[in-house]
Amino acid sequence: VKNMDVLLRTGLVESSNRLDEYAETIDSLKITPYGYYMINTICYMFNYIDLVCLDCGIHEQSVAHSLGLLADKDIDLFFKGKKLDRVKIRLRRAQEFVDYIVREEEKESDIYGLDGTEAKFGKILQERLTLEKVEILQSAEKNYKDVL
């Protein structure tokens, strides 16, 4: 109920009777164009992954600790003006977060006895990040190679 309420309030889904919060009187729900855009485009982008990785609850202490340390290093590099190094740290942080999501998804699959035929969000995320990392590094090296 809480999750559905958030989805309705943020406009990711809409109800057939146009309610903006969850109620028992809702007949049906459908994803909005904004919701499609988020789930098919934005959620797979490096910048979005980098943004949300520090706001998500992490159940593995080592991952949470590592993400925090990488965030500290990112801030330090920002103040030192080391743009290329900062991009590399951000990519590493995003990769650690995505790898964590994949592991969590595998655990859930085992716990709930899923047969593995459904599309795995984490695996798709991992594949897209791998491709995007190449482009980001090439661009960063081209644009920041002369920056100290």
Side-chain angles (χ1 to χ4, degrees), residues 105-120:
E105 203 170 47
E106 288 169 357
K107 286 179 196 174
E108 285 182 1
S109 186
D110 290 342
I111 290 169
Y112 297 112
L114 303 176
D115 61 7
T117 58
E118 64 285 334
K120 301 277 187 166

Side-chain angles (χ1 to χ4, degrees), residues 40-78:
N40 291 322
T41 305
I42 297 293
C43 71
Y44 294 107
M45 297 174 80
F46 162 71
N47 286 332
Y48 185 74
I49 297 166
D50 187 42
L51 178 70
V52 300
C53 74
L54 297 173
D55 288 335
C56 290
I58 306 292
H59 300 292
E60 281 182 39
Q61 185 177 2
S62 62
V63 174
H65 183 69
S66 179
L67 293 177
L69 289 175
L70 289 169
D72 286 343
K73 188 165 186 136
D74 177 23
I75 291 170
D76 183 52
L77 291 169
F78 171 79

